[in-house]
Amino acid sequence: PGDYTSIQDAIDVYNNGDIIMIAGGLYYEYSINPGGKSITLEGATDTDGLPVTTIDAQQLGRVLECDSGETAKTVFKNLLITGGFVDSGGGMRNTDSSPTLTNCTFTGNTVISDGGGMYNYFSSPSLTDCTFIDNICKNGDGGGMYNYNESSPALTGCTFIGNVAVQSGGGMYNDESGSSPTLTDCTFTGNTATYGGGMWNSGGSPTLENCIFENNTAADYCGGMSNDESSPTLTNTIVCGNTPDQIYGGYIHHGNHYMNDLCTFV
């Protein structure tokens, strides 16, 4: 903050390959957009490695947006993203863009329609060690993340906690347009929806490895994962303690398979 009055001001000045270091603290900004630049926005962390650079939109709009063909060379790192309020993609919306996110937390973002934490449209971002917590869809789907129109992000070590969707996919919603994300070492816990508390898959074929779905809740059916004409592949994945049931519908591809009255191991 000693060099520029806002994060967006710094973005507008810097060029491809540059790194913008954002000191720890609270920044009241919204609609931050890299404009297609291959730059890095890097916040600070505490001694435990948690982000201490917070960008708060104060319910005035979306926090981050990539809509100019951003690639993996556009990087967001060590940021806490909160206070977004729009129709879709409260924390972040990616349109025809696939940036990289590392150690970012999306929390307390709200949307009227879809994608409380993140909305991806023809976009496949890469996320590592990111957290989606307490994001809300008031009327739509995908409390934590909504993937639409062949959006197939790659997530590693990501966590979805306490996200809410009034309709489907409390943690994540994968749309019927062929969105097939890849998840490795990811955890879904305490997410809530009417259908598919942890995840809702409609038509796509997600791949999950070493993931956990635990204590997610659906008001109607499928607390863990709901599949509508979908064929997800699950390997070394635990689906346990979800209410009212674990996995519903679709054809599950799996290795060793064991079921009891509490858990499904696939």
Side-chain angles (χ1 to χ4, degrees):
D3 299 311
Y4 296 93
T5 58
S6 72
I7 298 170
Q8 189 64 55
D9 284 345
I11 291 172
D12 293 342
V13 170
Y14 282 91
N15 300 308
N16 291 339
D18 288 334
I19 300 173
I20 299 172
M21 305 294 294
I22 310 171
L26 180 58
Y27 300 83
Y28 294 116
E29 292 189 47
Y30 63 97
S31 298
I32 294 174
N33 193 323
K37 294 181 180 180
S38 298
I39 58 176
T40 296
L41 294 182
E42 183 172 347
T45 61
D46 62 16
T47 55
D48 294 321
L50 299 175
V52 292
T53 299
T54 299
I55 307 175
D56 187 346
Q58 295 185 288
Q59 309 293 308
L60 296 175
R62 179 178 296 116
V63 184
L64 302 174
E65 182 157 17
C66 290
D67 59 1
S68 301
E70 284 83 357
T71 68
K73 293 182 179 180
T74 300
V75 179
F76 300 88
K77 185 176 181 180
N78 304 335
L79 301 174
L80 193 153
I81 299 154
T82 190
F85 183 79
V86 284
D87 181 67
S88 64
M92 184 177 196
R93 179 177 172 120
N94 298 304
T95 303
D96 294 304
S97 300
S98 300
T100 298
L101 294 96
T102 302
N103 195 34
C104 290
T105 297
F106 292 78
T107 183
N109 300 288
T110 304
V111 294
I112 302 300
S113 184
D114 305 315
M118 179 182 291
Y119 185 104
N120 296 311
Y121 178 80
F122 280 117
S123 300
S124 299
S126 175
L127 294 88
T128 301
D129 298 331
C130 292
T131 300
F132 293 78
I133 182 170
D134 296 336
N135 300 287
I136 299 173
C137 292
K138 287 191 171 184
N139 295 313
D141 307 306
M145 179 183 292
Y146 187 101
N147 298 311
Y148 181 58
N149 267 24
E150 300 178 9
S151 293
S152 299
L155 292 83
T156 302
C158 294
T159 305
F160 293 75
I161 305 173
N163 301 286
V164 177
V166 169
Q167 293 188 29
S168 303
M172 179 183 291
Y173 185 100
N174 298 309
D175 189 79
E176 61 190 9
S177 57
S179 294
S180 301
T182 300
L183 293 87
T184 305
D185 299 323
C186 293
T187 299
F188 291 74
T189 183
N191 301 287
T192 304
T194 300
Y195 312 104
M199 179 183 291
W200 176 283
N201 299 313
S202 180
S205 300
T207 300
L208 295 87
E209 184 173 1
N210 299 331
C211 294
I212 298 173
F213 288 75
E214 186 176 28
N215 299 330
N216 301 287
T217 303
D220 198 331
Y221 64 81
C222 196
M225 177 187 294
S226 183
N227 300 293
D228 182 11
E229 298 183 1
S230 296
S231 300
T233 299
L234 280 67
T235 304
N236 296 330
T237 291
I238 300 173
V239 187
C240 186
N242 302 283
T243 305
D245 46 26
Q246 310 296 342
I247 298 176
Y248 177 90
Y251 183 78
I252 309 296
H253 298 271
H254 54 77
N256 294 328
H257 186 201
Y258 172 74
M259 295 183 64
N260 61 23
D261 59 347
L262 291 178
C263 301
T264 302
F265 300 91
V266 287

